[in-house]
Coordinates of all heavy atoms in Angstrom, one line a residue:
G1 N 13.0 7.0 -12.3 CA 11.6 6.7 -12.4 C 11.1 5.8 -11.3 O 11.9 5.3 -10.5
I2 N 9.9 5.5 -11.4 CA 9.2 4.6 -10.4 C 9.1 3.3 -11.1 O 8.7 3.1 -12.1 CB 7.8 5.2 -10.0 CG1 8.0 6.5 -9.3 CG2 7.1 4.1 -9.2 CD1 6.7 7.2 -9.0
D3 N 9.7 2.3 -10.2 CA 9.7 0.9 -10.8 C 8.4 0.1 -10.5 O 8.0 -0.7 -11.3 CB 10.9 0.1 -10.1 CG 12.2 0.7 -10.5 OD1 12.4 1.2 -11.7 OD2 13.1 0.7 -9.7
T4 N 7.8 0.4 -9.3 CA 6.6 -0.4 -8.9 C 5.7 0.5 -8.2 O 6.0 1.3 -7.4 CB 7.1 -1.5 -7.9 OG1 8.1 -2.3 -8.5 CG2 5.9 -2.3 -7.5
I5 N 4.4 0.3 -8.5 CA 3.2 0.8 -7.8 C 2.5 -0.3 -7.2 O 2.2 -1.3 -8.0 CB 2.3 1.7 -8.7 CG1 3.1 2.9 -9.2 CG2 1.1 2.1 -7.9 CD1 2.3 3.8 -10.3
A6 N 2.3 -0.4 -5.9 CA 1.7 -1.5 -5.3 C 0.5 -1.0 -4.4 O 0.5 0.1 -3.9 CB 2.7 -2.2 -4.4
C7 N -0.4 -1.9 -4.2 CA -1.6 -1.7 -3.3 C -1.6 -2.9 -2.2 O -1.5 -4.0 -2.6 CB -2.9 -1.7 -4.1 SG -4.3 -1.6 -3.0
L8 N -1.6 -2.5 -1.0 CA -1.5 -3.5 0.1 C -2.8 -3.3 0.9 O -3.2 -2.2 1.2 CB -0.3 -3.4 0.9 CG -0.2 -4.2 2.2 CD1 1.2 -4.9 2.2 CD2 -0.4 -3.4 3.4
S9 N -3.4 -4.5 1.3 CA -4.6 -4.4 2.1 C -4.6 -5.6 3.1 O -4.1 -6.6 2.8 CB -5.8 -4.5 1.2 OG -7.0 -4.4 2.0
V10 N -5.2 -5.3 4.2 CA -5.4 -6.4 5.2 C -6.6 -7.2 4.8 O -7.7 -7.1 5.2 CB -5.5 -5.8 6.6 CG1 -5.8 -7.0 7.6 CG2 -4.3 -5.0 7.0
N11 N -6.4 -8.0 3.7 CA -7.4 -8.9 3.1 C -6.7 -10.2 2.6 O -5.5 -10.2 2.5 CB -8.1 -8.2 1.9 CG -9.3 -7.4 2.3 OD1 -10.2 -8.0 3.0 ND2 -9.4 -6.2 1.9
D12 N -7.5 -11.1 2.3 CA -6.9 -12.3 1.7 C -6.6 -12.1 0.3 O -7.0 -11.3 -0.4 CB -7.8 -13.5 2.0 CG -9.1 -13.5 1.2 OD1 -9.1 -13.5 0.0 OD2 -10.2 -13.2 1.9
P13 N -5.8 -13.1 -0.3 CA -5.3 -13.0 -1.7 C -6.4 -13.0 -2.6 O -6.3 -12.4 -3.7 CB -4.3 -14.1 -1.8 CG -4.0 -14.7 -0.5 CD -5.1 -14.2 0.4
F14 N -7.5 -13.7 -2.3 CA -8.6 -13.8 -3.2 C -9.4 -12.5 -3.3 O -9.8 -12.1 -4.4 CB -9.6 -14.9 -2.8 CG -8.8 -16.3 -2.6 CD1 -8.5 -16.8 -1.4 CD2 -8.4 -17.0 -3.8 CE1 -7.8 -17.9 -1.2 CE2 -7.7 -18.2 -3.6 CZ -7.4 -18.7 -2.2
V15 N -9.5 -11.8 -2.3 CA -10.2 -10.5 -2.3 C -9.3 -9.5 -3.1 O -9.8 -8.8 -3.9 CB -10.4 -9.9 -0.9 CG1 -10.7 -8.5 -0.9 CG2 -11.5 -10.8 -0.1
M16 N -8.0 -9.6 -2.8 CA -7.1 -8.7 -3.6 C -7.1 -9.0 -5.1 O -7.1 -8.0 -5.9 CB -5.7 -8.9 -3.1 CG -5.5 -8.4 -1.6 SD -6.1 -6.7 -1.3 CE -4.8 -5.8 -2.2
E17 N -7.2 -10.2 -5.5 CA -7.3 -10.6 -6.9 C -8.6 -10.0 -7.5 O -8.6 -9.4 -8.6 CB -7.2 -12.1 -7.1 CG -7.3 -12.5 -8.6 CD -7.1 -14.0 -8.8 OE1 -7.0 -14.7 -7.7 OE2 -7.2 -14.4 -9.9
A18 N -9.7 -10.2 -6.8 CA -11.0 -9.6 -7.3 C -11.0 -8.2 -7.4 O -11.4 -7.6 -8.3 CB -12.1 -10.1 -6.4
F19 N -10.4 -7.5 -6.4 CA -10.2 -6.0 -6.4 C -9.4 -5.6 -7.6 O -9.7 -4.6 -8.2 CB -9.6 -5.6 -5.0 CG -9.5 -4.1 -4.9 CD1 -10.6 -3.3 -4.9 CD2 -8.3 -3.5 -4.6 CE1 -10.5 -1.9 -4.7 CE2 -8.2 -2.2 -4.4 CZ -9.3 -1.4 -4.5
A20 N -8.3 -6.2 -7.9 CA -7.5 -5.9 -9.0 C -8.3 -6.0 -10.3 O -8.1 -5.1 -11.1 CB -6.2 -6.8 -9.0
K21 N -9.0 -7.0 -10.4 CA -9.8 -7.2 -11.7 C -10.9 -6.1 -11.7 O -11.1 -5.6 -12.8 CB -10.4 -8.6 -11.7 CG -9.4 -9.7 -12.0 CD -10.0 -11.1 -12.0 CE -9.0 -12.1 -12.2 NZ -9.5 -13.4 -12.0
H22 N -11.5 -5.9 -10.6 CA -12.7 -4.9 -10.6 C -12.2 -3.5 -10.9 O -13.0 -2.7 -11.6 CB -13.5 -4.9 -9.4 CG -14.6 -4.0 -9.2 ND1 -15.8 -4.2 -9.8 CD2 -14.7 -2.8 -8.5 CE1 -16.6 -3.2 -9.6 NE2 -16.0 -2.4 -8.8
T23 N -11.1 -3.1 -10.4 CA -10.6 -1.8 -10.6 C -9.6 -1.6 -11.9 O -9.1 -0.5 -12.1 CB -9.8 -1.3 -9.4 OG1 -8.7 -2.2 -9.2 CG2 -10.7 -1.3 -8.2
S24 N -9.3 -2.7 -12.5 CA -8.4 -2.8 -13.6 C -7.0 -2.5 -13.2 O -6.2 -2.1 -14.0 CB -8.9 -1.9 -14.7 OG -10.1 -2.2 -15.3
A25 N -6.7 -2.7 -11.9 CA -5.3 -2.4 -11.4 C -4.4 -3.4 -12.1 O -3.2 -3.0 -12.4 CB -5.3 -2.6 -9.9
N26 N -4.8 -4.6 -12.4 CA -4.0 -5.6 -13.0 C -3.7 -5.2 -14.4 O -2.6 -5.5 -14.9 CB -4.7 -7.0 -13.0 CG -6.1 -7.0 -13.6 OD1 -6.7 -5.9 -13.7 ND2 -6.6 -8.1 -13.9
K27 N -4.5 -4.4 -15.1 CA -4.2 -3.9 -16.4 C -3.3 -2.7 -16.4 O -2.6 -2.4 -17.4 CB -5.5 -3.6 -17.2 CG -6.3 -4.8 -17.5 CD -7.6 -4.4 -18.3 CE -8.4 -5.6 -18.5 NZ -9.7 -5.3 -19.1
A28 N -3.2 -2.0 -15.3 CA -2.4 -0.8 -15.1 C -1.1 -1.2 -14.5 O -0.4 -0.2 -14.1 CB -3.1 0.2 -14.3
N29 N -0.7 -2.5 -14.4 CA 0.5 -2.9 -13.8 C 0.7 -2.4 -12.3 O 1.9 -2.3 -11.9 CB 1.8 -2.4 -14.6 CG 1.7 -3.1 -16.0 OD1 1.4 -4.3 -16.1 ND2 2.1 -2.3 -17.0
I30 N -0.4 -2.4 -11.6 CA -0.3 -2.1 -10.2 C -0.3 -3.5 -9.5 O -1.2 -4.3 -9.7 CB -1.5 -1.3 -9.7 CG1 -1.5 0.1 -10.4 CG2 -1.5 -1.1 -8.2 CD1 -2.7 0.9 -10.2
E31 N 0.8 -3.7 -8.7 CA 0.9 -4.9 -8.0 C 0.0 -5.0 -6.7 O 0.0 -3.9 -6.0 CB 2.4 -5.2 -7.6 CG 3.2 -5.4 -8.8 CD 4.7 -5.8 -8.4 OE1 4.8 -6.5 -7.4 OE2 5.6 -5.4 -9.1
M32 N -0.7 -6.0 -6.5 CA -1.6 -6.1 -5.4 C -1.0 -7.1 -4.4 O -0.5 -8.2 -4.7 CB -2.9 -6.6 -5.8 CG -3.5 -5.9 -6.9 SD -3.9 -4.2 -6.4 CE -5.5 -4.3 -5.7
F33 N -1.0 -6.7 -3.1 CA -0.4 -7.5 -2.0 C -1.4 -7.7 -0.8 O -2.0 -6.8 -0.4 CB 0.8 -6.9 -1.4 CG 2.0 -6.8 -2.4 CD1 2.3 -5.6 -3.1 CD2 2.8 -7.9 -2.6 CE1 3.4 -5.6 -4.0 CE2 3.9 -7.9 -3.5 CZ 4.2 -6.8 -4.2
S34 N -1.5 -8.9 -0.5 CA -2.4 -9.3 0.7 C -1.6 -9.4 1.9 O -0.5 -10.0 2.0 CB -3.0 -10.7 0.4 OG -3.6 -11.2 1.5
D35 N -2.0 -8.6 2.9 CA -1.4 -8.7 4.3 C -2.4 -9.3 5.3 O -2.9 -8.6 6.2 CB -1.0 -7.3 4.7 CG -0.2 -7.2 6.0 OD1 0.4 -8.2 6.4 OD2 -0.1 -6.1 6.6
S36 N -2.8 -10.5 5.0 CA -3.9 -11.2 5.6 C -3.9 -11.1 7.1 O -4.9 -10.9 7.8 CB -3.9 -12.7 5.2 OG -4.1 -12.9 3.9
N37 N -2.7 -11.2 7.7 CA -2.6 -11.2 9.2 C -2.1 -9.9 9.7 O -1.7 -9.8 10.8 CB -1.6 -12.3 9.7 CG -2.2 -13.7 9.3 OD1 -3.4 -13.9 9.5 ND2 -1.4 -14.6 8.8
A38 N -2.1 -8.8 8.8 CA -1.7 -7.5 9.2 C -0.2 -7.4 9.7 O 0.2 -6.6 10.5 CB -2.6 -6.8 10.3
E39 N 0.6 -8.4 9.3 CA 1.9 -8.5 9.8 C 2.8 -7.2 9.3 O 3.6 -6.6 10.1 CB 2.7 -9.7 9.2 CG 2.1 -11.0 9.9 CD 2.6 -12.3 9.4 OE1 3.7 -12.2 8.6 OE2 2.0 -13.3 9.6
F40 N 2.6 -6.8 8.1 CA 3.4 -5.6 7.6 C 3.0 -4.3 8.3 O 3.8 -3.6 8.8 CB 3.2 -5.5 6.1 CG 3.9 -4.3 5.4 CD1 5.3 -4.4 5.2 CD2 3.3 -3.2 5.1 CE1 6.1 -3.5 4.6 CE2 4.0 -2.1 4.5 CZ 5.4 -2.2 4.3
V41 N 1.6 -4.2 8.4 CA 1.1 -2.9 9.0 C 1.3 -2.9 10.5 O 1.6 -1.8 11.1 CB -0.4 -2.6 8.7 CG1 -0.5 -2.3 7.2 CG2 -1.2 -3.7 9.1
K42 N 1.4 -4.1 11.1 CA 1.9 -4.1 12.5 C 3.3 -3.6 12.7 O 3.6 -2.9 13.7 CB 1.7 -5.5 13.1 CG 0.3 -6.0 13.4 CD 0.2 -7.4 13.8 CE -1.1 -7.8 14.0 NZ -1.2 -9.3 14.3
K43 N 4.2 -4.1 11.8 CA 5.6 -3.6 11.9 C 5.7 -2.1 11.7 O 6.6 -1.5 12.2 CB 6.4 -4.4 10.9 CG 6.6 -5.8 11.3 CD 7.5 -6.6 10.3 CE 7.6 -8.0 10.8 NZ 8.4 -8.8 9.8
L44 N 4.8 -1.5 10.9 CA 4.8 -0.1 10.6 C 4.1 0.7 11.7 O 4.2 1.9 11.8 CB 4.1 0.3 9.3 CG 4.8 -0.1 8.1 CD1 3.9 0.3 6.8 CD2 6.1 0.7 7.9
G45 N 3.4 0.0 12.7 CA 2.6 0.6 13.6 C 1.4 1.3 13.1 O 0.9 2.3 13.7
K46 N 0.8 0.8 12.1 CA -0.4 1.4 11.4 C -1.6 0.6 11.4 O -2.4 0.6 10.5 CB 0.0 1.8 10.0 CG 1.1 2.8 9.9 CD 0.9 4.0 10.6 CE 2.0 5.0 10.6 NZ 1.7 6.2 11.5
T47 N -1.8 -0.2 12.6 CA -3.1 -1.0 12.7 C -4.2 -0.2 13.3 O -4.0 0.8 14.0 CB -2.8 -2.3 13.5 OG1 -2.3 -1.9 14.8 CG2 -1.8 -3.2 12.8
I48 N -5.4 -0.6 13.0 CA -6.6 -0.1 13.6 C -7.4 -1.3 14.2 O -7.5 -2.3 13.5 CB -7.5 0.6 12.6 CG1 -6.8 1.9 12.1 CG2 -8.8 1.0 13.2 CD1 -7.5 2.5 10.9
D49 N -7.8 -1.2 15.4 CA -8.6 -2.3 16.0 C -10.1 -2.0 15.7 O -10.7 -1.1 16.3 CB -8.4 -2.4 17.5 CG -9.1 -3.6 18.1 OD1 -9.9 -4.2 17.4 OD2 -8.9 -3.8 19.3
A50 N -10.6 -2.8 14.8 CA -12.0 -2.6 14.3 C -12.9 -3.7 14.8 O -14.0 -4.0 14.2 CB -12.1 -2.4 12.8
A51 N -12.5 -4.4 15.9 CA -13.2 -5.5 16.4 C -14.6 -5.1 16.9 O -15.5 -5.9 16.8 CB -12.4 -6.2 17.5
S52 N -14.7 -3.9 17.3 CA -16.0 -3.4 17.8 C -17.1 -3.4 16.8 O -18.3 -3.4 17.0 CB -15.9 -2.0 18.5 OG -15.6 -1.1 17.4
V53 N -16.7 -3.4 15.5 CA -17.6 -3.4 14.3 C -17.5 -4.7 13.5 O -17.9 -4.8 12.4 CB -17.5 -2.1 13.4 CG1 -18.0 -0.9 14.2 CG2 -16.2 -2.0 12.9
G54 N -16.8 -5.7 14.1 CA -16.8 -7.0 13.5 C -15.7 -7.2 12.4 O -15.7 -8.1 11.7
L55 N -14.7 -6.3 12.4 CA -13.7 -6.4 11.3 C -12.3 -6.7 11.8 O -11.4 -7.0 11.0 CB -13.6 -5.0 10.6 CG -14.9 -4.6 9.9 CD1 -14.7 -3.1 9.3 CD2 -15.2 -5.5 8.8
G56 N -12.1 -6.9 13.1 CA -10.8 -7.3 13.6 C -9.7 -6.3 13.4 O -10.0 -5.0 13.2
I57 N -8.5 -6.7 13.3 CA -7.3 -5.8 13.0 C -7.4 -5.3 11.6 O -7.3 -6.2 10.7 CB -6.0 -6.4 13.4 CG1 -6.0 -6.8 14.9 CG2 -4.8 -5.5 13.1 CD1 -6.2 -5.6 15.9
R58 N -7.3 -4.1 11.3 CA -7.3 -3.5 10.0 C -6.0 -2.6 9.8 O -5.3 -2.5 10.8 CB -8.5 -2.7 9.7 CG -9.8 -3.4 10.0 CD -10.0 -4.8 9.4 NE -10.1 -4.7 7.9 CZ -10.1 -5.8 7.2 NH1 -10.0 -7.0 7.7 NH2 -10.3 -5.7 5.9
S59 N -5.9 -1.9 8.8 CA -4.9 -1.0 8.5 C -5.4 0.4 8.4 O -6.4 0.6 7.8 CB -4.2 -1.4 7.2 OG -3.2 -0.4 6.9
S60 N -4.6 1.4 8.9 CA -4.9 2.8 8.5 C -4.7 2.9 7.0 O -4.0 2.1 6.4 CB -4.1 3.7 9.4 OG -2.7 3.6 9.0
R61 N -5.1 4.0 6.5 CA -4.9 4.3 5.1 C -3.7 5.2 4.9 O -3.6 6.2 5.5 CB -6.2 5.0 4.5 CG -7.4 4.1 4.5 CD -8.6 4.8 3.9 NE -9.7 4.0 4.0 CZ -10.9 4.3 3.5 NH1 -11.1 5.5 3.0 NH2 -11.9 3.5 3.7
F62 N -2.7 4.7 4.1 CA -1.5 5.3 4.0 C -0.9 5.1 2.6 O -1.3 4.1 1.9 CB -0.5 5.0 5.1 CG -0.1 3.5 5.1 CD1 0.9 3.1 4.3 CD2 -0.8 2.6 5.9 CE1 1.3 1.8 4.3 CE2 -0.4 1.3 6.0 CZ 0.6 0.8 5.2
S63 N 0.1 5.9 2.2 CA 0.8 5.6 1.1 C 2.3 6.1 1.4 O 2.5 6.8 2.3 CB 0.3 6.4 -0.2 OG 0.4 7.8 0.0
F64 N 3.2 5.5 0.6 CA 4.6 5.9 0.9 C 5.4 5.8 -0.4 O 5.0 5.1 -1.3 CB 5.3 5.2 2.1 CG 5.4 3.7 1.9 CD1 6.5 3.2 1.2 CD2 4.5 3.0 2.6 CE1 6.6 1.8 1.1 CE2 4.6 1.6 2.5 CZ 5.7 1.0 1.7
Y65 N 6.5 6.5 -0.4 CA 7.5 6.4 -1.5 C 8.8 5.8 -0.9 O 9.2 6.4 0.1 CB 7.7 7.8 -2.1 CG 8.9 7.8 -3.2 CD1 8.7 7.3 -4.4 CD2 10.1 8.3 -2.8 CE1 9.7 7.3 -5.3 CE2 11.2 8.3 -3.7 CZ 10.9 7.8 -5.0 OH 12.0 7.8 -5.9
A66 N 9.3 4.8 -1.5 CA 10.5 4.2 -1.0 C 11.6 4.1 -2.1 O 11.3 3.9 -3.2 CB 10.2 2.9 -0.4
E67 N 12.8 4.2 -1.7 CA 14.0 4.0 -2.6 C 14.9 2.9 -2.0 O 15.3 3.1 -0.7 CB 14.7 5.3 -2.8 CG 14.0 6.3 -3.6 CD 14.9 7.6 -3.8 OE1 16.0 7.6 -3.4 OE2 14.3 8.5 -4.4
D68 N 15.1 1.9 -2.7 CA 16.0 0.8 -2.2 C 15.6 0.3 -0.8 O 16.4 0.1 0.1 CB 17.5 1.3 -2.2 CG 18.0 1.7 -3.5 OD1 17.6 1.0 -4.5 OD2 18.7 2.7 -3.6
G69 N 14.3 0.2 -0.7 CA 13.8 -0.4 0.6 C 13.7 0.6 1.8 O 13.3 0.2 2.9
I70 N 14.0 1.8 1.5 CA 14.0 2.9 2.6 C 12.8 3.8 2.3 O 12.8 4.4 1.2 CB 15.3 3.7 2.7 CG1 16.5 2.8 2.8 CG2 15.2 4.7 3.7 CD1 16.6 2.0 4.1
I71 N 11.9 4.0 3.3 CA 10.8 4.9 3.1 C 11.3 6.4 3.1 O 11.9 6.8 4.1 CB 9.7 4.6 4.2 CG1 9.1 3.3 4.0 CG2 8.6 5.8 4.1 CD1 8.1 2.9 5.0
K72 N 11.1 7.1 2.1 CA 11.5 8.5 2.0 C 10.4 9.5 2.3 O 10.7 10.5 2.9 CB 12.1 8.8 0.6 CG 13.2 7.9 0.1 CD 14.5 8.3 0.9 CE 15.7 7.5 0.3 NZ 16.9 7.9 0.9
F73 N 9.2 9.1 1.9 CA 8.0 10.0 2.2 C 6.9 9.1 2.7 O 6.7 8.0 2.1 CB 7.5 10.8 0.9 CG 8.6 11.7 0.4 CD1 9.4 11.2 -0.7 CD2 8.8 12.9 0.9 CE1 10.4 12.1 -1.2 CE2 9.8 13.8 0.4 CZ 10.6 13.4 -0.6
F74 N 6.1 9.5 3.7 CA 5.1 8.7 4.2 C 3.8 9.7 4.4 O 3.9 10.7 4.9 CB 5.4 8.1 5.5 CG 4.5 7.1 6.0 CD1 4.7 5.8 5.7 CD2 3.4 7.4 6.7 CE1 3.8 4.8 6.1 CE2 2.4 6.4 7.2 CZ 2.7 5.1 6.9
F75 N 2.7 9.2 3.9 CA 1.5 10.0 3.9 C 0.4 9.2 4.5 O 0.2 8.0 4.1 CB 1.0 10.5 2.5 CG 2.1 11.1 1.8 CD1 2.9 10.4 0.9 CD2 2.4 12.5 1.8 CE1 4.0 11.0 0.2 CE2 3.4 13.0 1.2 CZ 4.2 12.3 0.3
E76 N -0.4 9.7 5.5 CA -1.4 8.9 6.2 C -2.7 9.7 6.2 O -2.7 11.0 6.4 CB -1.0 8.5 7.6 CG -2.0 7.6 8.2 CD -1.5 7.0 9.6 OE1 -0.5 7.6 10.1 OE2 -2.1 6.1 10.0
E77 N -3.8 9.0 5.9 CA -5.2 9.7 6.0 C -5.4 10.2 7.4 O -5.1 9.4 8.4 CB -6.2 8.7 5.6 CG -7.6 9.2 5.7 CD -8.7 8.2 5.3 OE1 -8.9 7.3 6.1 OE2 -9.2 8.3 4.2
P78 N -5.9 11.4 7.5 CA -6.3 11.9 9.0 C -7.3 11.0 9.6 O -8.2 10.4 8.9 CB -6.9 13.2 8.6 CG -6.4 13.6 7.3 CD -6.2 12.4 6.5
K79 N -7.3 10.9 10.9 CA -8.2 10.1 11.6 C -9.5 10.8 12.0 O -9.9 10.9 13.1 CB -7.5 9.6 12.9 CG -6.3 8.6 12.6 CD -5.7 8.3 13.9 CE -4.6 7.3 13.7 NZ -3.7 7.3 12.6
N80 N -10.1 11.3 10.9 CA -11.4 11.9 11.1 C -12.3 11.6 10.0 O -11.9 10.8 9.1 CB -11.3 13.5 11.2 CG -10.6 14.0 10.0 OD1 -10.5 13.4 8.9 ND2 -10.2 15.3 10.1
G81 N -13.5 12.1 10.0 CA -14.5 11.8 8.9 C -15.3 10.5 9.2 O -15.2 10.0 10.3
K82 N -16.0 10.1 8.3 CA -16.9 8.9 8.4 C -16.3 7.7 8.9 O -16.8 7.0 9.8 CB -17.7 8.7 7.2 CG -18.8 7.7 7.2 CD -19.6 7.6 5.9 CE -20.7 6.5 6.0 NZ -21.4 6.3 4.8
R83 N -15.2 7.4 8.3 CA -14.5 6.1 8.7 C -14.0 6.1 10.1 O -14.2 5.2 10.9 CB -13.3 5.9 7.7 CG -12.6 4.7 7.9 CD -11.4 4.5 6.9 NE -10.4 3.7 7.4 CZ -9.4 4.1 8.2 NH1 -9.3 5.4 8.4 NH2 -8.5 3.3 8.7
G84 N -13.5 7.3 10.6 CA -13.1 7.4 11.9 C -14.2 7.3 12.9 O -14.1 6.7 14.0
Q85 N -15.4 7.8 12.6 CA -16.5 7.8 13.4 C -17.1 6.3 13.6 O -17.5 6.0 14.7 CB -17.7 8.7 12.9 CG -17.4 10.1 12.9 CD -18.4 11.0 12.1 OE1 -19.3 10.5 11.5 NE2 -18.1 12.3 12.2
L86 N -17.0 5.5 12.5 CA -17.4 4.2 12.6 C -16.7 3.4 13.6 O -17.2 2.5 14.3 CB -17.3 3.5 11.2 CG -17.5 2.0 11.1 CD1 -19.0 1.8 11.2 CD2 -17.1 1.5 9.7
L87 N -15.4 3.7 13.8 CA -14.5 2.8 14.7 C -14.5 3.4 16.1 O -13.8 2.8 16.9 CB -13.1 2.8 14.1 CG -13.0 2.2 12.7 CD1 -11.6 2.2 12.2 CD2 -13.6 0.8 12.6
K88 N -15.2 4.5 16.4 CA -15.2 5.0 17.8 C -15.9 4.1 18.7 O -16.8 3.5 18.4 CB -15.7 6.4 17.8 CG -14.7 7.4 17.2 CD -15.3 8.8 17.3 CE -14.2 9.8 16.7 NZ -14.7 11.1 16.7

C-alpha cells in the first residue's frame, strides 16, 4: 500500500500550514512540505522562472510515485493553458 501522500510547494511553511488547514489536508493525513528556496524542484529540474510576473522561481506542477526513495512514475502538467500563458 501507500505509506505517505505529500504535497510540496515553493512556499514558506506558514503558507503551507494555512493551505493544509483550508483544504483539510491535515485531517486527511496528507503531509505538507515547504520548498521555500526551490531546492528540491531545482534538483528535479522542474523550476519555472516567473520573475516576469513578480513570483520569482516557482515549480512546475507534477506528481510522482516513489518506492524506497526511487521515483517509479512521474507525471507533469502540460505547459499550455492559462497558467502557461501567464508566464510567457
Side-chain angles (χ1 to χ4, degrees):
I2 295 174
D3 296 325
T4 304
I5 297 175
C7 175
L8 175 128
S9 181
V10 179
N11 270 311
D12 64 69
F14 306 105
V15 168
M16 295 305 291
E17 182 179 357
F19 184 59
K21 289 178 182 173
H22 179 74
T23 61
S24 297
N26 53 344
K27 292 179 182 175
N29 295 322
I30 297 173
E31 294 188 34
M32 305 299 274
F33 293 100
S34 169
D35 189 16
S36 299
N37 296 317
E39 293 173 16
F40 183 77
V41 295
K42 284 177 186 174
K43 288 179 181 178
L44 287 177
K46 298 301 174 187
T47 58
I48 297 171
D49 185 354
S52 65
V53 293
L55 297 174
I57 299 298
R58 310 309 289 173
S59 173
S60 64
R61 294 180 184 178
F62 62 86
S63 64
F64 62 83
Y65 171 78
E67 290 180 3
D68 300 321
I70 306 296
I71 296 174
K72 300 289 187 174
F73 299 98
F74 192 92
F75 309 93
E76 187 170 15
E77 179 182 72
K79 293 176 176 41
N80 59 14
K82 185 177 180 182
R83 185 175 152 274
Q85 293 170 358
L86 174 71
L87 301 179
K88 286 183 180 178

